[in-house]
C-alpha cells in the first residue's frame, strides 16, 4: 500500500514539470562520382552556411546575460553587432543603434545556448514577434573558431550575394 502511495505521489510530482527534448537534423555530406570513383563533398554551401530558414546572421559581442523564469525559463543576451551578414526587416526593427537583445531557452535540453559575456560569436537565428531567437541547431559558435574559408566567404560574399559554393571533395574511403 505504501509503495502505491509513493508511486502516485511521484507521478503527480512529475506531471508539474515540462519535458524538453532538443534534436537537430543535419543533412549528410553530398556524394559525387567522378569517372566511377566515389567522392564525399564537404563544400561551403551558401544556403547551408547562411541558413535558409534563418532571419539573421551576425558577428556580435555579448554585453550582458539575464535569466528570467528559472531553469526552465529563458535567457536574454544583450549583444553589440559588429557586423551583420544577413538580416530581415523584422531583425532590423529590433536593433537600437548597434545593440539588440537575443533570446534562447534556459537549458540545452530545450536547445538553449550558453554564451559567455565579452566573447564574440557568429549568431544565426530567427525573429518572431519582434524577438530574436537562437538555438543549438542554428550552429552558433565563437567567431575565432571559424575556419579561414568561412571567414573569407563572409568577408567576400556575405549571405545576401548570389549562390556561390566553394566545394571541396575527398575520395571516399572503403
Amino acid at each position: 500500500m505504501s509503495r502505491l502511495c509513493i508511486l502516485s505521489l511521484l507521478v503527480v510530482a512529475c506531471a508539474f514539470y515540462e519535458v524538453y527534448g532538443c534534436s537537430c537534423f543535419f543533412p549528410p555530406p553530398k556524394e559525387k562520382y567522378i569517372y566511377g570513383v566515389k567522392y564525399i563533398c564537404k563544400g561551403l554551401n551558401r544556403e547551408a552556411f547562411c541558413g535558409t530558414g534563418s532571419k539573421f546572421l551576425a558577428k556580435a559581442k555579448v554585453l550582458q546575460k539575464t535569466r528570467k523564469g528559472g531553469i526552465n525559463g529563458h535567457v536574454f543576451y544583450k549583444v553589440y553587432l559588429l557586423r551583420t551578414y544577413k538580416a530581415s526587416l523584422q531583425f532590423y526593427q529590433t536593433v537600437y543603434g548597434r545593440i539588440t537583445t537575443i533570446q534562447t531557452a534556459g537549458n540545452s535540453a530545450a536547445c538553449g545556448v550558453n554564451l559567455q559575456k565579452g566573447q564574440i560569436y557568429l549568431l544565426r537565428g530567427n525573429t518572431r514577434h519582434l524577438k530574436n531567437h537562437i538555438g543549438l541547431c542554428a550552429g552558433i559558435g565563437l567567431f575565432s573558431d571559424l575556419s579561414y574559408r568561412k571567414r573569407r566567404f563572409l568577408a567576400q560574399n556575405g549571405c545576401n550575394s548570389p549562390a556561390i559554393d566553394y566545394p571541396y571533395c575527398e575520395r571516399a574511403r572503403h
Side-chain angles (χ1 to χ4, degrees):
M1 183 67 173
S2 65
R3 287 184 184 176
L4 183 62
C5 289
I6 292 172
L7 183 61
S8 298
L9 287 173
L10 184 62
V11 169
V12 170
C14 290
F16 291 108
Y17 291 100
E18 295 180 48
V19 177
Y20 296 106
C22 181
S23 61
C24 306
F25 170 75
F26 298 105
K30 293 182 180 180
E31 295 178 358
K32 184 182 200 179
Y33 287 89
I34 302 172
Y35 299 112
V37 178
K38 182 178 174 182
Y39 287 84
I40 305 295
C41 299
K42 304 174 187 174
L44 180 57
N45 180 286
R46 181 187 71 88
E47 291 179 0
F49 182 65
C50 295
T52 53
S54 64
K55 300 289 184 193
F56 66 88
L57 178 68
K59 177 181 177 182
K61 183 175 184 176
V62 178
L63 302 176
Q64 180 182 346
K65 176 179 179 178
T66 307
R67 180 177 291 276
K68 293 183 181 176
I71 193 163
N72 291 331
H74 287 90
V75 177
F76 296 87
Y77 294 100
K78 185 182 281 188
V79 298
Y80 179 79
L81 299 173
L82 299 168
R83 181 142 183 216
T84 304
Y85 300 104
K86 174 184 177 180
S88 66
L89 179 61
Q90 295 170 335
F91 176 75
Y92 281 121
Q93 290 174 338
T94 67
V95 178
Y96 303 99
R98 296 196 85 155
I99 296 176
T100 190
T101 302
I102 307 286
Q103 174 179 332
T104 189
N107 59 51
S108 61
C111 294
V113 179
N114 185 23
L115 305 178
Q116 301 300 318
K117 184 178 174 183
Q119 295 290 333
I120 298 173
Y121 292 90
L122 184 66
L123 301 176
R124 181 184 296 116
N126 289 307
T127 305
R128 292 185 300 273
H129 308 293
L130 297 178
K131 292 181 181 174
N132 301 315
H133 300 270
I134 59 173
L136 280 178
C137 299
I140 309 300
L142 285 170
F143 194 81
S144 60
D145 290 346
L146 282 180
S147 68
Y148 169 76
R149 292 174 53 133
K150 290 181 180 179
R151 287 183 191 206
R152 189 181 84 196
F153 174 81
L154 287 171
Q156 291 178 349
N157 303 302
C159 291
N160 296 320
S161 65
I164 298 172
D165 294 335
Y166 294 101
Y168 63 96
C169 301
E170 297 174 348
R171 189 176 186 152
R173 296 186 184 117
H174 296 127

